[in-house]
């Protein structure tokens, strides 16, 4: 096995997902009664020696063994993508080893042992304490112990998280749930055996192959030359994990003529004495292809294959020694290489030979030397060595294949977006998916076929995608796509394999997001500029990040090649480190974006919000945490109000809700904010949600005994009741307006006066008193300007124009009305210039004012005089046929059908050009 990278050091104090194994001897107390203390010590030492050796053979680390219990971890100090399989493999071997060991224990001490084994996978926090000892904390440890306690003698129980990672590599059986201490129960997943040579991934090669036309053509050309010119060749297919190396080679090999022998081998990432491990599988497959019995394993069997070959016996002895069933001397490396080459040449003399070796990046250096020996010295034989490897191979062998004419390297990039969509469609049996969900899945997989297979399989298995007769339907909008645990393990291990400098850069960069800036990383990682530049270039060469257009002048920016790489880097950070880095990033961004602060206000607020959330998750809400929350509230509230100005209600509601969660429940600011949030919810048509928010605001306002805050909540409640069409809502609203106006006037609350006047105006409007409504809205507009609430100001101007359209218009005053409309038009034009591209309301207002002024100038409303009576109608609808001259205009309640209609408009606002009266 390849030795560890000297530049690879375990990360200190990190969060990571590992697999834990706990084994405990059953009924150990009886042994102390039956055996002398020294004999018992010798027996336990023999047991522990065997079990610990097994654990270490699979890369596990014994965390502790005390009394009769062993606790081992897989993934500490260094993660591997297959830690779960390693742990289960170790557990199965421990079980089988004990069965063999019991014969010895029975003979020597007259006893036999049984043990229970539990395994579980989960997130832990780990590092080195002040005394230099490793610590390990997390719920995963406790669950592992409970599983071990629930197991029967000589039984292996694994947790559900572990099973998801190994299910394609193990045979299991289920039984009823097991009860443990404190009344807990766990599902019993019992490991029966391992599936030989299986991995944690089940590749779905049955789906149609997508893309890679140029690479397939290049490989087909090499295979064609192999058959025609009968010469050796080394082909290496390079690419990241899951990018499709094995599938490409499989597709190309499937097109070979039947005369060609294709044999496969795989390099393992762990184990002792496995330098030549792939060779055994390769020889076994070649023997089967030639019609022999692959189960025969002796020097005589190999010599029979080599009949007539010079020094056949010596070749057979060397091969048998390499495969582990002979007495040949394997220390003579050159003789071993020569023997393997002679064996392959014998095979290739009869039929062309293609040897496929997967995961060359895990190969022992000796095995890589063997491959190069075969290619260099077997030039007269049709032998093709096809290896698939990740780019890490070039870290250990930078000159791999360099300078040789019979060597080709094919590099695989991620699939294009169109190819990814095609693959996802194939995985879903060519049944359509909604474009929005399809786009989310496509973006998430990032062109990686393995990611696509695992993600689609998980979505279907967990019923997040459900199949109908002719399509797939998502259970939700999948705004937060879950990441399969197999992919998480793969990416986390990839990051931990990096040198510490590069890992530090990536974790700091991940705080900013998928796109990050060099000076921000420098601020967070505190690196010397030249060192940082070198680390960034190394990460670009590894294709983990790529250059990106910066957001600021004079900056350099980069993008994570895959968003899941960013997520894995971020999740490795302890929460206390995340809190610190988010706060420091906000401090970097504020002066960096000084001239564009409004543009980045929401981003600054987000990072302050995250810093606060992590701090209170780990400790009390102290002064520092409270200060973070206050700063976050200011930024997010400002961003939310700007979202209201540009009529982006979903964004505004989301931002205001986040602010409400940051403020303490008894903070008076929170009551006012809830009132504001309820207005946005009402405006968006989410009336039930608005009711729930107002109920909380009313409860808090009552408890605070603050008349001004209670008045704000009361006004919003009236708007909601009017939209619900509740019995007597108009009378209640009139009484409420009379109550709150003095309160707001006494406290000088312009925003409250604005909303109270809006309520008053709406009552006039519903009573078909357009002129009075316009006056009330004009007073509300004046208060909105003083309160600097642009969203409400925009909406009010719209309704001033609307009131003039529906109100009484005497012919002598027509020019005055036109002038008022012109002034409104001018205000709308001015607002459009001030908020170009962001104010939907000002554009509505501009269009409305133009239409109104044009209509009045053309005297299109001669019947709307003071002697007219007209049933109230909503904006942008046709005039009612009930309008008739000669009927006096009088105040009256709007019929129930109109209040019901108002409620309907609240949920259909997006379909109309004109806004309805809203409380905002």
């Amino acid at each position: 096995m390849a030795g560890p990278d000297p530049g690879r050091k375990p990360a200190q104090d990190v969060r990571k997902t590992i697999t834990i194994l706990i084994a405990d001897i059953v009924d150990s107390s009886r042994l102390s009664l039956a055996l002398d203390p020294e004999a018992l010590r010798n027996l336990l030492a023999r047991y522990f020696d065997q079990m610990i050796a097994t654990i270490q053979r699979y890369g596990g680390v014994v965390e502790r063994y005390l009394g009769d219990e062993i606790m081992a971890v897989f993934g500490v100090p260094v993660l591997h993508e297959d830690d779960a399989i390693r742990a289960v493999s170790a557990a199965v071997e421990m079980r089988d080893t004990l069965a063999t060991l019991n014969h010895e224990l029975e003979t020597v001490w007259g006893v036999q042992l049984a043990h229970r084994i539990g395994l579980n996978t989960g997130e832990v926090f780990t590092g080195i304490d002040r005394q230099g000892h490793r610590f390990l904390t997390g719920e995963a440890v406790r669950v592992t112990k409970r599983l071990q306690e629930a197991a029967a003698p000589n039984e292996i129980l694994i947790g559900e998280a572990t099973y998801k990672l190994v299910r394609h590599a193990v045979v299991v059986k289920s039984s009823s749930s097991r009860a443990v201490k404190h009344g807990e129960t766990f599902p019993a997943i019992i490991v029966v055996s391992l599936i030989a040579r299986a991995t944690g991934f089940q590749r779905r090669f049955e789906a149609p192959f997508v893309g890679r036309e140029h690479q397939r053509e290049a490989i087909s050309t090499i295979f064609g030359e192999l058959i025609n010119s009968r010469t050796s060749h080394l082909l290496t297919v390079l690419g990241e994990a899951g990018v499709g190396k094995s599938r490409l080679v499989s597709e190309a090999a499937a097109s070979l003529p039947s005369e060609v022998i294709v044999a496969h081998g795989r390099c393992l990432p762990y184990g002792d004495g496995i330098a030549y491990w792939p060779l055994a599988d390769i020889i076994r497959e070649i023997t089967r292809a030639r019609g022999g019995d692959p189960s025969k394993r002796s020097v005589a069997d190999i010599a029979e294959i080599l009949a007539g070959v010079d020094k056949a016996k010596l070749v057979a002895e060397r091969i048998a020694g390499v495969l582990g069933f002979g007495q040949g001397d394997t220390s003579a490396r050159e003789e071993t290489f020569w023997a393997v080459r002679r064996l392959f040449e014998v095979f290739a003399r009869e039929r062309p030979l293609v040897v496929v070796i997967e995961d060359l990046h895990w190969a022992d250096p000796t095995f890589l030397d063997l491959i190069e020996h075969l290619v260099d010295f077997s030039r007269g034989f049709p032998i093709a060595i096809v290896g698939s490897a990740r780019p890490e191979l070039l870290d250990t062998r930078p000159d791999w294949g360099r300078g040789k004419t019979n060597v080709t390297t094919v590099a695989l990039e991620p699939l294009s977006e169109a190819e990814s969509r095609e693959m996802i469609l194939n995985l879903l049996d060519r049944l359509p998916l909604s474009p929005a969900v399809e786009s989310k899945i496509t973006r998430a997989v990032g062109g990686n076929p393995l990611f696509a297979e695992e993600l689609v399989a998980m979505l279907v298995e967990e019923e997040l995608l459900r199949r109908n007769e002719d399509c797939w339907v998502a259970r939700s909008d999948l705004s937060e796509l879950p990441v399969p645990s197999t992919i998480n393990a793969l990416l986390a291990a990839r990051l931990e394999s990096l040198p510490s400098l590069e890992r530090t850069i990536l974790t700091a960069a991940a705080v900013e997001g998928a796109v990050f800036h060099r000076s921000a990383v420098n601020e967070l990682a505190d690196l010397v500029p030249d060192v940082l530049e070198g680390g960034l270039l190394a990460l670009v060469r590894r294709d983990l990040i790529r250059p990106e257009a910066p957001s600021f002048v004079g900056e350099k920016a980069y993008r994570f090649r895959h968003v899941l790489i960013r997520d894995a880097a971020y999740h490795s950070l302890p929460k206390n480190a995340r809190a610190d880095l988010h706060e420091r990033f906000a401090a970097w961004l504020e002066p960096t974006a000084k001239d564009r602060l409004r543009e980045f206000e929401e981003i600054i607020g987000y990072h302050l919000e995250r810093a606060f959330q992590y701090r209170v998750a780990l400790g009390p809400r102290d002064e520092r945490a409270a200060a973070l929350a206050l700063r976050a509230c200011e930024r997010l509230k400002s961003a939310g109000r700007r979202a209201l100005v540009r009529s982006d209600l979903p964004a505004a509601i989301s931002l205001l809700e986040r602010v409400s969660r940051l403020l303490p429940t008894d903070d008076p600011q929170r009551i006012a904010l809830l009132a504001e949030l309820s207005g946005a919810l009402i405006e968006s048509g989410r009336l039930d949600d608005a009711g729930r928010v107002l109920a909380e605001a009313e409860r808090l306002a009552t408890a605070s005994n603050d008349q001004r805050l209670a008045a704000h909540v009361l006004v919003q409640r009236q708007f909601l009741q009017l939209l619900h069409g509740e019995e007597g809502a108009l009378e209640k609203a009139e009484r409420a307006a009379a109550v709150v106006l003095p309160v707001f006037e006494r406290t000088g609350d312009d925003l409250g006066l604005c909303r109270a006047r809006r309520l008053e105006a709406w009552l006039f409007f519903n009573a078909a008193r357009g002129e009075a409504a316009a006056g009330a809205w004009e007073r509300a507009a004046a208060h909105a300007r003083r309160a600097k609430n642009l969203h409400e100001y925009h909406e009010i101007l719209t309704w001033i124009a609307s009131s003039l359209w529906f109100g009484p218009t005497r012919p002598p005053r027509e020019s005055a009305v036109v002038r008022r409309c012109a002034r409104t038009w001018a205000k709308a034009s001015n607002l459009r210039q001030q908020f170009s591209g962001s104010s939907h309301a000002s554009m509505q207002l501009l269009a409305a004012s133009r239409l109104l002024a044009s209509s009045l100038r053309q005297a299109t409303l001669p019947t709307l005089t003071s002697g007219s009576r007209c049933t109230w109608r909503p904006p942008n609808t046709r005039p009612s046929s009930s309008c008739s001259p000669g009927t006096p205009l009088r105040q009256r309640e709007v019929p129930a059908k109109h209040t019901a209609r108002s409620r309907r408009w609240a949920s259909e606002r997006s379909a109309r050009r004109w806004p309805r009266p809203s409380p905002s």
Side-chain angles (χ1 to χ4, degrees):
M1 183 180 69
D5 181 352
R8 182 183 182 187
K9 298 179 181 179
Q12 301 297 316
D13 290 8
V14 295
R15 299 174 75 94
K16 56 167 67 177
T17 298
I18 66 170
T19 299
I20 305 158
L21 179 153
I22 297 179
D24 183 78
I25 297 175
V26 177
D27 196 16
S28 59
S29 58
R30 67 178 175 83
L31 298 175
S32 61
L33 296 175
L35 296 175
D36 180 83
E38 290 185 47
L40 177 60
R41 176 73 184 91
N42 292 336
L43 179 147
L44 292 178
R46 179 69 178 134
Y47 167 79
F48 284 128
D49 286 347
Q50 290 287 301
M51 298 304 114
I52 291 171
T54 301
I55 289 167
Q56 292 175 340
R57 187 158 47 250
Y58 288 94
V61 174
V62 176
E63 186 69 16
R64 67 168 184 263
Y65 67 97
L66 184 65
D68 55 4
E69 180 182 284
I70 299 175
M71 174 177 167
V73 290
F74 293 78
V76 175
V78 177
L79 278 174
H80 307 90
E81 65 195 62
D82 57 348
D83 279 322
I85 290 182
R86 292 175 183 232
V88 174
S89 300
V92 170
E93 190 169 322
M94 288 169 68
R95 182 192 63 191
D96 298 343
T97 297
L98 181 57
T100 304
L101 180 64
N102 270 330
H103 295 297
E104 176 187 332
L105 302 182
E106 176 71 32
T107 301
V108 177
W109 288 286
V111 297
Q112 291 192 357
L113 299 181
H115 57 195
R116 301 182 177 93
I117 300 178
L119 294 101
N120 186 48
T121 301
E123 188 180 46
V124 299
F125 180 51
T126 180
I128 305 297
D129 63 22
R130 294 177 181 176
Q131 287 73 42
H133 303 134
R134 180 167 298 282
F135 64 83
L136 191 74
T137 60
E139 174 68 1
V141 180
R142 188 191 70 83
V143 172
T144 307
K145 180 61 180 173
R146 295 294 176 260
L147 287 168
Q148 176 267 314
E149 293 170 345
N154 295 326
E155 190 175 66
I156 302 169
L157 284 188
I158 61 175
E160 291 181 288
T162 305
Y163 176 66
K164 288 180 179 179
L165 290 165
V166 304
R167 58 182 173 175
H168 302 304
V170 297
V171 176
V172 299
K173 66 179 180 180
S174 299
S175 68
S176 57
S177 296
R178 304 286 178 87
V180 294
K181 294 179 180 178
H182 311 298
E184 289 182 279
T185 60
F186 288 91
I189 304 175
I190 305 165
V191 176
V192 177
S193 62
L194 294 170
I195 300 172
R197 297 174 180 80
T199 67
F201 301 106
Q202 183 182 34
R203 301 309 305 271
R204 295 162 180 82
F205 284 3
E206 69 276 5
F209 189 65
V210 175
R212 315 296 193 200
E213 288 81 6
H214 297 304
Q215 291 88 343
R216 290 179 70 181
E217 185 178 343
I219 296 174
S220 296
T221 300
I222 293 170
F223 286 167
E225 292 177 355
L226 172 75
I227 297 170
N228 298 328
S229 61
R230 302 184 68 80
T231 184
S232 63
H233 202 100
L234 171 61
L235 168 65
T236 307
V237 181
L238 279 179
E240 292 291 344
V243 80
K245 303 181 294 292
S246 299
R247 181 67 188 273
L248 173 64
V249 172
S250 175
E251 290 292 320
S255 64
L256 288 168
S258 58
E259 65 180 277
V260 179
I261 297 176
V262 180
H264 299 79
R266 180 185 297 276
C267 302
L268 298 180
Y270 55 84
D272 296 327
I274 59 170
Y276 296 103
W277 178 270
L279 197 59
D281 288 337
I282 292 168
I283 293 175
R284 191 161 33 246
E285 290 200 13
I286 293 174
T287 303
R288 185 183 295 110
R290 296 174 73 248
D293 184 357
S295 63
K296 291 184 177 181
R297 293 166 56 88
S298 68
V299 174
D301 293 325
I302 297 175
E304 183 180 343
I305 296 173
L306 297 168
V309 175
D310 186 32
K311 300 183 179 179
K313 183 178 179 183
L314 179 60
V315 172
E317 289 175 350
R318 291 288 180 266
I319 295 296
V322 166
L323 299 183
F325 57 83
Q327 302 299 318
D329 181 11
T330 59
S331 63
R333 208 175 77 134
E334 293 303 320
E335 282 193 11
T336 299
F337 286 8
W338 164 78
V340 174
R341 175 170 59 85
R342 292 295 293 138
L343 181 64
F344 279 18
E345 288 173 350
V346 169
F347 293 148
R349 185 179 292 121
E350 300 174 1
R351 296 163 61 183
L353 178 62
V354 173
V355 177
V356 178
I357 306 169
E358 297 200 41
D359 298 327
L360 271 182
H361 49 279
W362 284 330
D364 189 279
T366 300
F367 191 73
L368 295 176
D369 293 340
L370 170 61
I371 292 174
E372 291 187 324
H373 174 89
L374 291 171
V375 174
D376 288 341
F377 294 97
S378 296
R379 290 185 178 262
F381 296 87
I383 300 174
I385 309 294
V386 182
S388 65
R390 298 176 192 171
E392 296 94 285
L393 172 65
L394 301 182
D395 293 339
T396 55
R397 297 291 279 254
D399 58 346
W400 178 254
R402 186 178 298 171
K404 297 177 181 177
T405 58
N406 62 335
V407 172
T408 302
T409 298
V410 174
L412 292 190
E413 290 289 322
L415 296 174
S416 68
E417 182 176 333
E419 290 168 338
S420 296
R421 290 179 183 274
E422 180 69 12
M423 181 177 182
I424 292 167
L425 190 60
N426 289 337
L427 293 171
L428 294 172
D429 298 328
R430 308 295 300 177
L431 293 178
L433 188 63
S434 76
V437 174
E438 183 186 74
S439 294
K440 286 179 182 177
I441 296 174
T442 301
R443 286 195 301 271
V445 302
N448 189 294
L450 175 63
F451 294 2
E453 292 172 0
E454 293 290 307
L455 180 56
V456 169
M458 186 192 69
L459 292 175
V460 173
E461 180 179 319
E462 296 185 3
E463 296 187 346
L464 295 173
L465 286 180
R466 294 180 178 177
R467 182 171 181 166
N468 287 349
E469 291 183 3
D470 56 354
C471 67
W472 290 89
V473 178
R475 195 170 68 186
S476 65
D477 64 354
L478 298 182
S479 56
E480 293 292 333
L481 274 175
V483 180
S485 55
T486 48
I487 302 305
N488 265 332
L490 194 69
L491 293 173
R494 173 78 176 99
L495 291 175
E496 273 214 12
S497 70
L498 297 174
S500 58
L501 169 65
E502 295 170 34
R503 197 165 59 231
T504 298
I505 292 172
L506 286 183
T507 51
V511 173
E512 181 172 358
V515 176
F516 60 92
H517 294 82
R518 182 182 61 179
S519 64
V521 175
N522 192 50
E523 176 71 22
L524 301 184
D526 196 22
L527 297 171
V528 176
D530 289 345
V531 173
L532 173 61
E533 189 68 25
L536 289 169
L537 288 175
L539 291 168
V540 171
R541 284 194 296 270
R542 295 181 192 276
D543 200 26
L544 289 171
I545 62 174
R546 293 178 177 177
E548 177 71 16
S551 299
F552 307 104
V553 176
E555 265 288 353
K556 278 188 177 180
Y558 300 86
R559 175 184 291 276
F560 281 91
R561 186 182 62 78
H562 199 293
V563 68
L564 295 181
I565 296 173
R566 179 266 163 192
D567 293 346
Y570 182 78
H571 290 143
S572 71
L573 287 167
K575 287 185 176 180
N576 56 2
R578 295 181 205 175
D580 178 62
L581 291 172
H582 278 295
E583 184 177 1
R584 289 166 59 191
F585 179 78
W588 170 86
L589 184 54
E590 284 178 319
T592 303
K594 55 185 176 183
D595 297 330
R596 300 157 59 193
L597 200 56
R598 290 163 64 90
E599 180 183 344
F600 289 92
E601 201 161 29
E602 182 179 342
I603 296 175
I604 296 169
Y606 163 79
H607 286 280
L608 293 170
E609 175 189 32
R610 298 299 286 167
F612 164 77
Q613 289 170 338
Y614 285 126
R615 290 206 181 281
V616 296
L618 300 173
R621 185 182 180 122
D622 55 16
E623 289 185 8
R624 184 176 180 183
L628 283 171
L630 183 60
R631 291 170 60 198
C633 285
E634 291 172 356
R635 297 296 186 186
L636 295 176
K637 186 159 55 175
S638 176
R641 286 172 176 166
R642 283 201 310 279
L644 283 173
V645 171
R646 64 177 182 268
S647 296
D648 187 353
L649 288 173
I653 290 168
S654 174
L655 289 163
L656 294 177
E657 285 177 334
R658 286 161 61 187
V659 174
S660 72
R661 290 192 290 268
L662 289 170
L663 292 169
T665 55
D666 58 349
D667 190 328
Q669 291 186 67
R670 189 165 185 271
I671 304 171
L673 182 92
L674 290 174
E676 187 173 5
L677 172 59
S678 70
L681 289 166
I682 291 171
E683 190 171 351
S684 69
R686 293 170 56 182
L687 304 187
D688 292 340
D689 291 334
R692 284 190 290 272
V693 169
L694 279 174
E696 182 183 0
E698 286 167 341
R699 178 177 56 80
L700 295 174
T702 301
S704 71
N705 199 29
D706 188 314
Q707 286 188 329
R708 186 183 65 85
L709 293 176
H712 272 280
V713 177
L714 181 60
V715 169
Q716 301 293 52
R717 175 61 74 182
Q718 305 317 304
F719 283 114
L720 183 62
Q721 290 173 344
L722 287 169
L723 284 170
H724 274 300
E726 295 180 8
E727 186 71 27
L730 288 170
E731 291 86 351
K732 290 178 183 178
E734 287 176 1
R735 290 194 297 270
V739 169
V740 301
L741 277 168
V743 174
F744 291 139
E745 288 170 350
R746 185 175 65 252
T747 56
D749 188 336
D750 277 307
L751 183 59
L753 286 167
C754 166
R755 290 171 178 167
R757 293 299 182 188
R758 293 192 73 168
L759 177 61
E760 188 179 57
W762 200 6
L763 292 172
F764 288 141
F765 198 84
N766 274 271
R769 296 175 60 190
E771 182 72 14
W777 267 312
E778 285 176 340
R779 290 190 292 275
H783 289 297
R785 282 191 70 88
R786 285 196 287 270
K788 298 180 181 179
N789 191 310
L790 293 176
H791 172 59
E792 303 216 16
Y793 185 65
H794 291 176
E795 293 281 348
I796 291 166
L797 292 183
T798 304
W799 281 100
I800 292 171
S802 179
S803 298
L804 293 174
W805 176 276
F806 297 114
T809 307
R810 293 187 177 89
R813 295 184 57 211
E814 180 182 321
S815 59
V817 174
V818 171
R819 286 195 299 272
R820 289 176 68 182
C821 290
R823 288 197 300 270
T824 306
W825 185 359
K827 290 177 183 178
S829 300
N830 183 47
L831 286 170
R832 182 177 62 168
Q833 293 171 4
Q834 292 181 41
F835 301 96
S836 178
S838 65
S839 178
H840 175 64
S842 65
M843 297 304 295
Q844 290 179 317
L845 176 56
L846 187 60
S849 302
R850 282 174 174 164
L851 175 62
L852 180 53
S854 173
S855 301
L856 287 169
R857 287 194 182 99
Q858 296 172 25
T860 56
L861 301 173
T863 61
L864 293 181
T865 66
S866 59
S868 298
R869 179 184 184 277
C870 180
T871 303
W872 175 81
R873 63 183 177 85
N876 205 31
T877 59
R878 298 181 63 84
S880 170
S881 59
S882 63
C883 291
S884 57
T887 305
L889 181 66
R890 57 188 178 87
Q891 182 175 352
R892 62 183 180 82
E893 274 198 21
V894 179
K897 64 179 181 181
H898 293 149
T899 55
R901 185 181 300 164
S902 297
R903 186 179 182 186
R904 186 174 68 251
W905 291 338
S907 62
E908 296 176 355
R909 181 177 184 273
S910 60
R912 305 194 316 280
R913 186 181 67 198
W914 287 73
R916 56 165 181 76
S918 68
S920 296

